[in-house]
Amino acid sequence: MKLVFKLKDRVHGGDTPLKFCWQSVLGNYLATTGHDNAVRVWDRHGQLVEEMQLPGNCTGMEWDMDGDILCAVCEKSSNLFLWDSTQKKTLKIDSGAKDAHTFLAWSKVGFHLAIGTAKGNLILYDHKVGRKVPILGKHNKKILCGQWSAIQNCVGLASEDRAVTISDISGKTLQQFAVNDTPSLLKFSEMKGNAKTRPVDNTVSIVVGKKTLFIYKLQDPDGPAQLAFQPKYGRIEQYCWYGDNYIMIGFSHGHMVSISIHPEEVGREIFHVRNHQDYLASIAISHSLNYAATCGDNSVHVHDLQKLEEVTAIIDFTDEKGLKDLAWTNDGQLLAVSTTRGKLLTYLTKLPMLGDTCGTRIAYLTSLLEVTVFNSIEGELPITKTIDVEPSFVACGPYHLAVGMNNRAWFYYVADDKNAEKTRDREYLGTIQKMSLNADYAAVMFDGKVQLHMIDQGVHEALVEGKEAKLFPDREDEGAVTCSTITNDFLIYGTESGNICYFFIEDWAEVNVYRHGVGIRSIYPNDCGSHTAFIDEKGDGVIYNPVDDSVYTIPDMPASVNGLLWETNVFDKDVFVLYDDEVVYTYVFHRESLEGSLVTLAGKTRLPFSQRPLLLNNGILTLQTTSGKTNSILLESHCFLALDDHGQSIALDENAFQCAVALKRWKEAWTACVDLNSIEYWEKLGEAALISLDVDLAIRVYRQLQDAGMVLSLERLRDVEDRNLLAGTIASYIGQFDRAQELLLSSTNPVAALDLRRDLMHWDTALQLASRLDPQQIPFIAKEYGQQLEFTGNYSAAYQHFEKGLIREPEHLEHDETCAAGLARTSLRLGNIRRGVEIAIKHPSRQLKKECGAILENMRQFAESAALYERSQYFDKAAAVYIRGKNWNKVGELLPKVTSIKIHLQFAKAKEADKKYAEAADAYHDAKEYDSEIRVALDHLRDPERAVNIVKATGSTEGAKMVANFFIKLGDYGSAIQFLVLSKCNDDAFHMAKKHGQMEVYAEIVGENATAEDLMSIALYFENEKNHLMAGRFFTRCAKYAKALNHFLRCSLNEDGDEVLQLAVETVAAAQDIQLTRQLSDFLLGEHDGVPKDANYLFKMYMALGQYGEAAHTAIIISKEEQNNGNYRVAHDLLFSMMRELKDRQIKIPSEMETNLMILHSYILVKYHVRRANHACAARLLVRVAENISKFPVHIVQILTSTVIECHKSRLKHSSFSYAAMLMRPEYRNKMDAKYKKKIEQIVRKTGAKSEDEEDTSSPCPYCDFDLTDSELVCSSCRNNVPYCVATVSIIYS
């Protein structure tokens, strides 16, 4: 809040508090009184207007209801001191009272004045007629306070005698009641009930003893309410009624409390705050502002009554020692605050919202006598100008500022701060209602007229002779002027008769008059005056173009419009806003669009409370506030311009996109599409660009959408200058075909409308346009129209249009053929079969013949239909139609050319009916109806071989069943069972096999395709027949492993022993059951019959069960047995396969197995090395075998003989001698081969025991580095088997 004025210290001659009161209604004067017993009247700017000296201390001072008369009374005089503010005169009137005046109050509805005295007397004075009515003894003691009611015009008085009286204007006591302590602050108000009733002051409230609030209902005198409050609040200093049954109370300890007086909740506290820590002196409420203010300590706190918890303003009085009282003017513009030391300060709380704009320059009232001019858009510094009067209007021009009131105006030059000086002031013939300025002229509206005059006549006196001033309108019959404004070039004004007049200032002549027919309320031209928005007396809004007198209605107008602003940003020059008290409506004037020029509503924005729009620039609305400041908001329609907290642009959403499109802000709309990244929004942007006829933008958008077809179409429109042709073509692109036709017909190429309707297949319209625009197109349109009518079933009309379409010219042969085809089809459908067939036969088209054949077939004209099908080489259809006509001879002729299975089937059935079974069977075969062929072959042709071949070739289930039945009749049950199985009749086949002892045949036929149920049936059958082998087989297949094993073990091993044991092993392996494994193991070991079985089966069992350790142990045993029997190759292969199995499963191989395999492998390789004459290697291998000769008991002599011979050949003399000497033992000597005996004996005799072998090469052990000969494969140090070569069985060198 801004300090307006401050009365000088001790203005009333002392440090005691002063009393003051504002003038009623207008609030132009402030009356004060104090220690010096003087009443002084000040204006709104703190200037002394009047002073009245009283003979004693002022005990009452108040303005009348209109604020015209100020009355004051004092202790030491019986006079009433009156001051007339309208005539500036002082008047004294003797009240006739004999005791001191203590109270006065003016009526709120008339000129009655109530005066109370120290002895309780009442004096009623009627100022209008000058009559005084003394009423003695109204009270017994001093009257302390009172008030008039606002509706019934009753006066309420409270006295020291603790009585309260309610009296009418004649002084008659209407009601009286008593309170229990000293009363004060009596007030009338209305306590509203739940039902709607006529307003009435039905309640008296009064403070009793500074502690309680007494509520007395005049209509319910027996039910008063006395409200007490918490002691911590202190004394009641002041209270005010507000709103709907609410009271605001100020307490001495700084508390402010709001309570409800609603009947159902009287006294309920709804708000509490402690604004002041030491004390609260007073509270005041401004009903016009809806504000409450409290004063206390050294501050004033202002609250909004709508949101009491919010403090809207705080005024600190740091230099003052204490505040006493405060009061608002009726309009809430000024707040006066007094101190305990006799000072008074007045603050501006609400300014009249006076302001004006010129371009982007704003002039607005910032104080009662101060106007600020600034242009933030162009970066100009604010210019503050102190003015001479408190204005009622402000006008702004490019270089001037005008303010004024009543009929007088002051002009100031404000082009720059240095020359901010008053240029002139001027009086007019009436009260100024509005003023507008341009660079040179002012347009002033008053009393239904507009005066145009120069602002500074002396500056341009030589240039404007005869153009100094002019009064409008020129004639009285034109009606009173209701609104006016001025642009750089024109004076524009509207009249009550509905005329809008343009006066061209340069030519000093009226250039245009638009007659609207309804009175004009207000006009708002854009900057250059090319378009003017106006609002008429009906509240309708219109945009007017004075160039061609075109008008465009503003849609969705609010009920009441306070003003209109055009956008000042050059890029949005067609945007404007309307506003009322609560909402700002954003509109766009589209100069060009598919619908022509029009106005659309783009968005709505909530207008902040008590703020008035002044300027719109780039979506930012500059507002004037009641505090003399400006505020800016971004319109909701321009939300795409919003910034984040760091001043950066935010990502645009769907709403921002829609707003940008509505305002034709294509750059922002493009950015929104990029942010949204959705094809849907790109398509919407493209459509919006098309509607706005912005071809270049539309091309960019559809190129972004990769819509090549649309881009190519729009590229062809770039150079189209005819706007109607362009708009019509674009309208057709987006589906507005009626609008497109309208535009194209009014363009320079009206035939385009015909092409459009043809493309859309709107043939009726196309024919109408063709008859007017291009008659040569009628045959072609008639042909296409006839095709459409034929498709929809309107054959009569189609026939007519096909006839109309015939041209009969060689260059249009194809067109005529199409029409002829249509005539043929429609003739047939209309019943003219002969003409239709005739046209179809002559026509070269196969397709037409087929179509006509189909039509005739539907009409049951089979002969003609089949003939047309045959002529068009559709033999299948022809045969089918011949069949329907029972013409079998024709069918037989066409059958070799027919591919349809259905026709062959029909023919076969017909032949079978004629008992031509061979032909029927062949036809059934061609129709792939194999079951029927089998039936005919068996029943009629008695050819089972053909039937059997067909069943085997096709796998037909039904056919197999028929063949099976045939063989049953012949007694060939094996074949019957086979075909029953093929026909999926397994149960029948089973029972037949069981009945005729063919179960093995059945089992063989079923094979792998048998179900578990089939397998179980077969197994049970064989079980009953004591066929243990077959029972075991089928129990295994149906996973009954225990039964299967029992049957296998009961089989005789003499005939099928190997097969039985192998099956038993497979059964145990599949079962993976420990009990069954143990049972089979015991059987193989001879636990049941004492006869051990071949160990190979035990080995196979262990392998199948994955018990590789036991399998390895068994393999070693088997290999030893085979070695003992001389089967060295078998033993070798068994050990080798076992080792490989163990290695694959990463199981440790037993050392014994590796050693045995190495020895056997050495023995087997000897033959290969002997054949290759590699005697040294063979000798080493034989030495290794001979060292383990006990493992070869069957061939000891042969192996030792070979060892001696090979060692002798390899010069291993010691080894040769050793094994030769072994052969000389008695047990071997007689078994030697005679041809080697002498040679061996000679070796023993000649070599001797001292001979030595040739040293073998050595290499380190790969495990412990111990030196080993090449033939040593087991390290004597670490006992590991050393890796050896598979070909030489010697160490592999690393």
Side-chain angles (χ1 to χ4, degrees), residues 181-218:
D181 205 339
T182 304
S184 60
L185 302 176
L186 183 147
K187 297 183 180 182
F188 279 96
S189 186
E190 177 188 4
M191 181 182 290
K192 298 178 181 178
N194 295 327
K196 294 183 178 180
T197 58
R198 183 173 56 86
V200 60
D201 291 332
N202 59 6
T203 306
V204 175
S205 58
I206 191 167
V207 175
V208 178
K210 293 287 186 179
K211 296 179 181 179
T212 61
L213 184 63
F214 190 86
I215 308 295
Y216 181 82
K217 297 181 181 179
L218 300 179

Short mmCIF file of all heavy atoms in Angstrom, two decimals, residues 181-218:
data_model
loop_
_atom_site.label_atom_id
_atom_site.label_comp_id
_atom_site.label_asym_id
_atom_site.label_seq_id
_atom_site.Cartn_x
_atom_site.Cartn_y
_atom_site.Cartn_z
N ASP A 181 -24.23 -5.35 32.01
CA ASP A 181 -23.01 -4.55 32.21
C ASP A 181 -23.07 -3.37 31.24
O ASP A 181 -24.02 -3.24 30.46
CB ASP A 181 -21.77 -5.39 31.96
CG ASP A 181 -20.55 -4.85 32.71
OD1 ASP A 181 -20.54 -3.67 33.06
OD2 ASP A 181 -19.59 -5.65 32.93
N THR A 182 -22.06 -2.55 31.26
CA THR A 182 -22.05 -1.34 30.44
C THR A 182 -22.04 -1.71 28.96
O THR A 182 -21.16 -2.45 28.51
CB THR A 182 -20.82 -0.48 30.77
OG1 THR A 182 -20.83 -0.18 32.16
CG2 THR A 182 -20.84 0.79 29.95
N PRO A 183 -23.01 -1.21 28.18
CA PRO A 183 -23.06 -1.54 26.75
C PRO A 183 -22.19 -0.59 25.92
O PRO A 183 -21.91 0.55 26.32
CB PRO A 183 -24.53 -1.37 26.41
CG PRO A 183 -25.01 -0.30 27.34
CD PRO A 183 -24.21 -0.45 28.60
N SER A 184 -21.79 -1.09 24.75
CA SER A 184 -21.03 -0.27 23.80
C SER A 184 -21.13 -0.91 22.42
O SER A 184 -21.48 -2.08 22.28
CB SER A 184 -19.56 -0.14 24.21
OG SER A 184 -18.94 -1.41 24.28
N LEU A 185 -20.78 -0.11 21.39
CA LEU A 185 -20.70 -0.60 20.01
C LEU A 185 -21.99 -1.28 19.56
O LEU A 185 -22.00 -2.41 19.10
CB LEU A 185 -19.52 -1.57 19.84
CG LEU A 185 -18.13 -1.01 20.21
CD1 LEU A 185 -17.08 -2.09 20.08
CD2 LEU A 185 -17.79 0.18 19.33
N LEU A 186 -23.11 -0.55 19.67
CA LEU A 186 -24.39 -1.10 19.21
C LEU A 186 -24.45 -1.03 17.69
O LEU A 186 -24.10 -0.01 17.08
CB LEU A 186 -25.53 -0.31 19.82
CG LEU A 186 -26.97 -0.79 19.50
CD1 LEU A 186 -27.88 -0.52 20.68
CD2 LEU A 186 -27.51 -0.13 18.25
N LYS A 187 -24.93 -2.17 17.08
CA LYS A 187 -25.03 -2.23 15.63
C LYS A 187 -26.25 -3.04 15.23
O LYS A 187 -26.66 -3.96 15.92
CB LYS A 187 -23.78 -2.87 15.02
CG LYS A 187 -22.51 -2.07 15.26
CD LYS A 187 -21.30 -2.69 14.57
CE LYS A 187 -20.04 -1.86 14.85
NZ LYS A 187 -18.87 -2.42 14.16
N PHE A 188 -26.86 -2.60 14.11
CA PHE A 188 -27.94 -3.35 13.50
C PHE A 188 -27.37 -4.26 12.41
O PHE A 188 -26.42 -3.92 11.72
CB PHE A 188 -28.98 -2.41 12.88
CG PHE A 188 -29.95 -1.82 13.85
CD1 PHE A 188 -29.74 -0.55 14.39
CD2 PHE A 188 -31.08 -2.54 14.22
CE1 PHE A 188 -30.63 -0.01 15.28
CE2 PHE A 188 -31.99 -1.99 15.11
CZ PHE A 188 -31.76 -0.72 15.65
N SER A 189 -28.03 -5.42 12.23
CA SER A 189 -27.67 -6.30 11.13
C SER A 189 -28.82 -7.26 10.87
O SER A 189 -29.82 -7.26 11.60
CB SER A 189 -26.38 -7.08 11.43
OG SER A 189 -25.98 -7.82 10.30
N GLU A 190 -28.66 -8.08 9.84
CA GLU A 190 -29.66 -9.06 9.50
C GLU A 190 -29.11 -10.45 9.77
O GLU A 190 -28.06 -10.84 9.23
CB GLU A 190 -30.04 -8.96 8.01
CG GLU A 190 -31.05 -10.02 7.59
CD GLU A 190 -31.26 -10.04 6.09
OE1 GLU A 190 -30.56 -9.29 5.38
OE2 GLU A 190 -32.10 -10.82 5.63
N MET A 191 -29.79 -11.19 10.63
CA MET A 191 -29.43 -12.59 10.83
C MET A 191 -30.33 -13.42 9.92
O MET A 191 -31.52 -13.52 10.13
CB MET A 191 -29.62 -13.01 12.29
CG MET A 191 -29.22 -14.48 12.53
SD MET A 191 -29.49 -15.01 14.23
CE MET A 191 -28.24 -14.09 15.10
N LYS A 192 -29.71 -13.99 8.88
CA LYS A 192 -30.48 -14.71 7.87
C LYS A 192 -30.80 -16.11 8.34
O LYS A 192 -29.98 -16.79 8.95
CB LYS A 192 -29.68 -14.78 6.56
CG LYS A 192 -29.39 -13.41 5.96
CD LYS A 192 -28.57 -13.52 4.71
CE LYS A 192 -28.26 -12.14 4.14
NZ LYS A 192 -27.42 -12.21 2.94
N GLY A 193 -32.03 -16.51 8.06
CA GLY A 193 -32.43 -17.87 8.39
C GLY A 193 -32.22 -18.81 7.22
O GLY A 193 -31.60 -18.47 6.21
N ASN A 194 -32.75 -20.01 7.35
CA ASN A 194 -32.60 -21.00 6.29
C ASN A 194 -33.50 -20.69 5.10
O ASN A 194 -33.17 -20.99 3.96
CB ASN A 194 -32.90 -22.40 6.82
CG ASN A 194 -31.88 -22.84 7.87
OD1 ASN A 194 -30.72 -22.46 7.77
ND2 ASN A 194 -32.32 -23.60 8.86
N ALA A 195 -34.67 -20.08 5.35
CA ALA A 195 -35.61 -19.77 4.27
C ALA A 195 -35.29 -18.40 3.69
O ALA A 195 -34.75 -17.52 4.36
CB ALA A 195 -37.04 -19.79 4.81
N LYS A 196 -35.61 -18.24 2.41
CA LYS A 196 -35.39 -16.96 1.74
C LYS A 196 -36.49 -15.99 2.14
O LYS A 196 -37.68 -16.25 1.91
CB LYS A 196 -35.36 -17.15 0.22
CG LYS A 196 -34.17 -17.97 -0.27
CD LYS A 196 -34.16 -18.05 -1.79
CE LYS A 196 -32.95 -18.82 -2.28
NZ LYS A 196 -32.92 -18.92 -3.75
N THR A 197 -36.10 -14.88 2.74
CA THR A 197 -37.08 -13.87 3.18
C THR A 197 -36.61 -12.50 2.71
O THR A 197 -35.48 -12.32 2.25
CB THR A 197 -37.21 -13.88 4.71
OG1 THR A 197 -35.92 -13.64 5.29
CG2 THR A 197 -37.73 -15.24 5.20
N ARG A 198 -37.51 -11.55 2.85
CA ARG A 198 -37.18 -10.18 2.47
C ARG A 198 -36.13 -9.62 3.42
O ARG A 198 -36.18 -9.84 4.63
CB ARG A 198 -38.46 -9.33 2.55
CG ARG A 198 -38.29 -7.88 2.11
CD ARG A 198 -39.64 -7.20 2.06
NE ARG A 198 -40.32 -7.29 3.34
CZ ARG A 198 -40.15 -6.40 4.33
NH1 ARG A 198 -39.30 -5.39 4.18
NH2 ARG A 198 -40.80 -6.52 5.46
N PRO A 199 -35.11 -8.90 2.90
CA PRO A 199 -34.06 -8.35 3.78
C PRO A 199 -34.66 -7.46 4.86
O PRO A 199 -35.52 -6.63 4.60
CB PRO A 199 -33.17 -7.55 2.83
CG PRO A 199 -33.43 -8.14 1.48
CD PRO A 199 -34.86 -8.57 1.48
N VAL A 200 -34.17 -7.61 6.08
CA VAL A 200 -34.66 -6.81 7.21
C VAL A 200 -33.59 -6.79 8.30
O VAL A 200 -32.89 -7.78 8.51
CB VAL A 200 -35.98 -7.40 7.75
CG1 VAL A 200 -35.80 -8.84 8.23
CG2 VAL A 200 -36.54 -6.54 8.86
N ASP A 201 -33.44 -5.60 8.94
CA ASP A 201 -32.50 -5.51 10.07
C ASP A 201 -33.18 -6.12 11.29
O ASP A 201 -33.81 -5.43 12.09
CB ASP A 201 -32.13 -4.04 10.33
CG ASP A 201 -31.27 -3.48 9.22
OD1 ASP A 201 -30.56 -4.28 8.59
OD2 ASP A 201 -31.32 -2.27 8.97
N ASN A 202 -33.03 -7.40 11.46
CA ASN A 202 -33.78 -8.10 12.50
C ASN A 202 -32.97 -8.40 13.74
O ASN A 202 -33.43 -9.08 14.64
CB ASN A 202 -34.36 -9.40 11.95
CG ASN A 202 -33.26 -10.32 11.43
OD1 ASN A 202 -32.07 -10.03 11.59
ND2 ASN A 202 -33.66 -11.41 10.81
N THR A 203 -31.73 -7.90 13.79
CA THR A 203 -30.83 -8.27 14.89
C THR A 203 -30.08 -7.04 15.38
O THR A 203 -29.61 -6.23 14.57
CB THR A 203 -29.84 -9.34 14.45
OG1 THR A 203 -30.56 -10.45 13.91
CG2 THR A 203 -28.99 -9.83 15.62
N VAL A 204 -29.97 -6.95 16.68
CA VAL A 204 -29.14 -5.92 17.32
C VAL A 204 -28.00 -6.63 18.03
O VAL A 204 -28.23 -7.58 18.79
CB VAL A 204 -29.95 -5.09 18.31
CG1 VAL A 204 -29.05 -4.11 19.05
CG2 VAL A 204 -31.07 -4.34 17.59
N SER A 205 -26.79 -6.18 17.76
CA SER A 205 -25.63 -6.72 18.46
C SER A 205 -24.98 -5.61 19.26
O SER A 205 -24.94 -4.45 18.83
CB SER A 205 -24.63 -7.31 17.47
OG SER A 205 -24.21 -6.32 16.54
N ILE A 206 -24.49 -5.97 20.45
CA ILE A 206 -23.91 -4.95 21.33
C ILE A 206 -22.88 -5.62 22.22
O ILE A 206 -23.04 -6.77 22.65
CB ILE A 206 -25.02 -4.27 22.16
CG1 ILE A 206 -24.49 -3.04 22.87
CG2 ILE A 206 -25.70 -5.24 23.12
CD1 ILE A 206 -25.59 -2.17 23.44
N VAL A 207 -21.81 -4.90 22.48
CA VAL A 207 -20.76 -5.40 23.39
C VAL A 207 -21.16 -5.05 24.81
O VAL A 207 -21.52 -3.89 25.10
CB VAL A 207 -19.40 -4.81 23.03
CG1 VAL A 207 -18.34 -5.23 24.05
CG2 VAL A 207 -18.99 -5.23 21.62
N VAL A 208 -21.07 -6.03 25.70
CA VAL A 208 -21.45 -5.84 27.10
C VAL A 208 -20.22 -6.00 27.97
O VAL A 208 -19.59 -7.07 27.99
CB VAL A 208 -22.54 -6.85 27.51
CG1 VAL A 208 -22.90 -6.67 28.98
CG2 VAL A 208 -23.78 -6.67 26.63
N GLY A 209 -19.87 -4.94 28.63
CA GLY A 209 -18.75 -4.99 29.57
C GLY A 209 -17.43 -5.29 28.91
O GLY A 209 -16.51 -5.77 29.61
N LYS A 210 -17.30 -5.03 27.65
CA LYS A 210 -16.07 -5.27 26.91
C LYS A 210 -15.66 -6.75 26.91
O LYS A 210 -14.56 -7.10 26.50
CB LYS A 210 -14.91 -4.44 27.49
CG LYS A 210 -15.03 -2.94 27.31
CD LYS A 210 -14.80 -2.55 25.86
CE LYS A 210 -14.79 -1.04 25.71
NZ LYS A 210 -14.53 -0.63 24.31
N LYS A 211 -16.60 -7.64 27.37
CA LYS A 211 -16.23 -9.05 27.50
C LYS A 211 -17.11 -9.96 26.64
O LYS A 211 -16.62 -10.96 26.13
CB LYS A 211 -16.33 -9.48 28.95
CG LYS A 211 -15.35 -8.78 29.88
CD LYS A 211 -15.54 -9.27 31.32
CE LYS A 211 -14.58 -8.54 32.27
NZ LYS A 211 -14.77 -8.98 33.66
N THR A 212 -18.36 -9.64 26.55
CA THR A 212 -19.28 -10.52 25.83
C THR A 212 -19.97 -9.77 24.72
O THR A 212 -20.05 -8.53 24.73
CB THR A 212 -20.35 -11.11 26.78
OG1 THR A 212 -21.11 -10.03 27.34
CG2 THR A 212 -19.70 -11.92 27.89
N LEU A 213 -20.49 -10.56 23.76
CA LEU A 213 -21.23 -10.00 22.63
C LEU A 213 -22.68 -10.46 22.77
O LEU A 213 -22.97 -11.65 22.78
CB LEU A 213 -20.63 -10.48 21.31
CG LEU A 213 -21.26 -9.90 20.04
CD1 LEU A 213 -21.05 -8.39 19.97
CD2 LEU A 213 -20.65 -10.56 18.80
N PHE A 214 -23.57 -9.48 22.88
CA PHE A 214 -24.98 -9.75 23.10
C PHE A 214 -25.71 -9.68 21.77
O PHE A 214 -25.64 -8.66 21.06
CB PHE A 214 -25.54 -8.72 24.09
CG PHE A 214 -26.93 -9.04 24.59
CD1 PHE A 214 -27.12 -9.88 25.69
CD2 PHE A 214 -28.04 -8.51 23.95
CE1 PHE A 214 -28.38 -10.15 26.14
CE2 PHE A 214 -29.31 -8.78 24.41
CZ PHE A 214 -29.49 -9.61 25.52
N ILE A 215 -26.39 -10.77 21.39
CA ILE A 215 -27.13 -10.85 20.12
C ILE A 215 -28.62 -10.88 20.46
O ILE A 215 -29.10 -11.81 21.10
CB ILE A 215 -26.74 -12.09 19.31
CG1 ILE A 215 -25.22 -12.17 19.13
CG2 ILE A 215 -27.44 -12.10 17.96
CD1 ILE A 215 -24.63 -11.06 18.31
N TYR A 216 -29.34 -9.85 20.00
CA TYR A 216 -30.77 -9.72 20.32
C TYR A 216 -31.56 -9.72 19.02
O TYR A 216 -31.37 -8.85 18.15
CB TYR A 216 -31.01 -8.42 21.09
CG TYR A 216 -32.46 -8.21 21.49
CD1 TYR A 216 -32.99 -8.81 22.64
CD2 TYR A 216 -33.29 -7.39 20.73
CE1 TYR A 216 -34.30 -8.62 23.00
CE2 TYR A 216 -34.61 -7.18 21.09
CZ TYR A 216 -35.12 -7.81 22.22
OH TYR A 216 -36.45 -7.61 22.58
N LYS A 217 -32.45 -10.71 18.88
CA LYS A 217 -33.30 -10.80 17.70
C LYS A 217 -34.59 -10.03 17.96
O LYS A 217 -35.31 -10.33 18.90
CB LYS A 217 -33.62 -12.26 17.38
CG LYS A 217 -32.41 -13.10 17.02
CD LYS A 217 -32.82 -14.53 16.68
CE LYS A 217 -31.61 -15.38 16.36
NZ LYS A 217 -31.99 -16.78 16.05
N LEU A 218 -34.85 -9.05 17.11
CA LEU A 218 -36.03 -8.23 17.30
C LEU A 218 -37.32 -9.05 17.16
O LEU A 218 -38.33 -8.74 17.79
CB LEU A 218 -36.04 -7.09 16.28
CG LEU A 218 -34.84 -6.12 16.37
CD1 LEU A 218 -34.95 -5.05 15.28
CD2 LEU A 218 -34.76 -5.48 17.74
#
